[in-house]
DNA sequence: GTCTATATAATGATAGAC
DNA sequence: GTCTATCATTATATAGAC
């Protein structure tokens, strides 16, 4: 969101008491509501009426400003994927940084608005999947790739994304017991060890084949 | 499928020319069609009419035999999750067996009917997610857990499932480029190395923290 | 700039005939 | 045991008033 101007608070639950007739504010409110709704229920699990209600407007304005639900989704994915959620910048501490952040954010009590949740809950729709494929390679995939030293950076970066995605899936979307109740320290150490296999395996994959 | 009897071939594309009025055959045909459809499009992505058409019957019979779409889904999940897809039985070769099987089945040309695909594409629906959580812990989760030596077997088993799920997600459902085009040998070795961290980390997770 | 009202299509589930 | 016909609901998207 950000920018533009305004006095009233629109970012929370719409703009019930806010000033009316402001195109950019209405557009931002719809987009923010879309990110929240798509993350919670996925592309097919939420209707434009619900998104509009979350922004304090009627469903008609969603298509007015974004053309279609699919185009709104594409913009919402871009907003959700834009901030680098786990990558902190240092290749040396990358494995630990990702593991710590992942264990904390997938904890049952956390309700962080996360791009991986959006991805998992929208993956069943083929068009949504294609939109997310493009966004993934454009945002976090590229960031990770450039951070990894050695050969096969793209393959290793996407395996990192696969592990992160899988942990989000089993721990938070499916919610299996052992992961949901796992000790944060133990979980962090195990994820970190798995990530190190990818981060440190410069050049030849066989270097790590006989650990 | 299996069992019962019959001469006509019902398993393929319904029973257009098959003998009519056989309750168990019709039920099996619907169930098989449901597994195929739910795996391809997910719980919300397919309607009961489509499932019925795949079995060569009308939509009404789906509710007649299974009560509701949700109950049909629960039985389809059980059928899909029942055969142990990756676990071969030997703890010593477990990492390599899973890695080989996973790399082969997630290859772009493969169109194997897989429980992880069913899971990923149905995860957006909360009721479907709960059904799959129960089935996961009942089937493959338990099999894996009993195969792992040492402490924290349940947590390590579910992390194995998380890695498998994530690879299915990024390579086949989202379809990112580097994983889709990855060399099978390189991919297998990297997945195997990550799995060994979990399979061999008996007792203390810190054993593997400084590879 | 935003609304009400509606067009059109699809959904899961059910009633009752044969 | 299986069908046709239909109910009630919901979905995205659009037309036209103010």
């Amino acid at each position: 969101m950000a920018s533009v101007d305004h006095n009233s608070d629109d970012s929370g639950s719409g703009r019930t008491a806010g000033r009316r007739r402001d195109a950019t504010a209405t557009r931002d409110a719809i987009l923010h509501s879309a990110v929240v709704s798509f993350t919670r229920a996925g592309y097919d699990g939420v209707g434009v009426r619900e998104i509009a209600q979350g922004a304090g407007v009627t469903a008609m304005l969603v298509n007015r400003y974004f053309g279609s639900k699919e185009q709104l989704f594409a913009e919402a994915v871009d907003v959700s994927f834009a901030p680098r959620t786990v990558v902190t910048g240092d290749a040396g501490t990358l494995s630990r940084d990702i593991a710590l952040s992942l264990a904390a954010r997938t904890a049952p009590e956390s309700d962080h608005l996360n791009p991986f949740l959006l991805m998992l809950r929208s993956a069943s729709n083929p068009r949504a999947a294609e939109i997310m494929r493009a966004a993934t390679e454009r945002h976090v995939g590229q960031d990770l790739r450039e951070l990894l030293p050695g050969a096969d950076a793209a393959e290793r970066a996407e395996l990192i994304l696969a592990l992160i995605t899988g942990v989000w899936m089993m721990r938070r979307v499916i919610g299996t017991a052992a992961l949901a109740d796992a000790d944060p320290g133990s979980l962090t150490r195990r994820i970190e060890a798995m990530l190190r296999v990818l981060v440190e395996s410069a050049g030849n994959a066989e270097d790590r084949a006989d650990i």
Side-chain angles (χ1 to χ4, degrees), chain A:
Chain A
M1 299 197 65
S3 78
V4 195
D5 54 333
H6 311 133
N7 44 354
S8 65
D9 177 16
D10 292 2
S11 59
S13 58
R15 23 142 267 190
T16 52
R19 189 223 335 71
R20 307 165 83 90
R21 295 179 187 260
D22 182 325
T24 60
T26 299
R27 214 189 115 100
D28 284 351
I30 293 173
L31 190 53
H32 180 256
S33 174
V35 172
V36 174
S37 295
F38 285 139
T39 303
R40 180 179 45 77
Y43 183 81
D44 286 328
V46 65
V48 293
R49 284 171 179 78
E50 195 176 340
I51 294 172
Q53 192 176 23
V57 299
T58 61
M60 184 247 131
L61 286 192
V62 173
N63 285 325
R64 179 82 148 84
Y65 282 108
F66 295 90
S68 70
K69 182 187 181 182
E70 192 174 321
Q71 291 175 268
L72 170 63
F73 180 77
E75 290 211 36
V77 166
D78 244 30
V79 168
S80 180
F81 283 34
R84 34 185 84 190
T85 48
V86 284
V87 186
T88 50
D90 185 354
T93 61
L94 185 61
S95 298
R96 178 139 195 90
D97 290 341
I98 294 178
L100 272 171
S101 170
L102 181 59
R105 292 185 182 177
T106 57
E109 65 273 14
S110 168
D111 65 339
H112 189 269
L113 227 55
N114 193 276
F116 290 96
L117 271 182
L118 198 170
M119 184 167 72
L120 282 164
R121 294 195 167 125
S122 303
S124 57
N125 188 293
R127 290 180 186 161
E130 166 56 24
I131 289 170
M132 293 186 293
R133 185 200 58 72
T136 297
E137 298 186 342
R138 189 165 1 108
H139 290 296
V140 61
Q142 185 179 6
D143 295 343
L144 260 183
R145 200 180 325 142
E146 293 173 350
L147 213 59
L148 291 178
D152 293 336
E155 178 182 323
R156 289 152 58 210
E158 291 180 11
L159 280 175
I160 291 177
L161 292 182
L163 178 58
I164 296 173
T165 304
V167 171
W168 271 101
M169 178 74 173
M170 297 307 293
R171 197 171 190 217
R172 276 295 289 274
V173 177
I174 301 296
T176 52
L179 279 187
D181 305 340
D183 169 66
S186 164
L187 188 61
T188 301
R189 283 191 292 273
R190 288 202 163 94
I191 294 172
E192 181 186 354
M194 297 177 78
L195 289 173
R196 290 203 179 191
V197 171
L198 297 171
V199 173
E200 297 176 1
S201 83
N204 198 336
E206 283 154 313
D207 292 351
R208 300 244 66 83
D210 52 357
I211 297 176

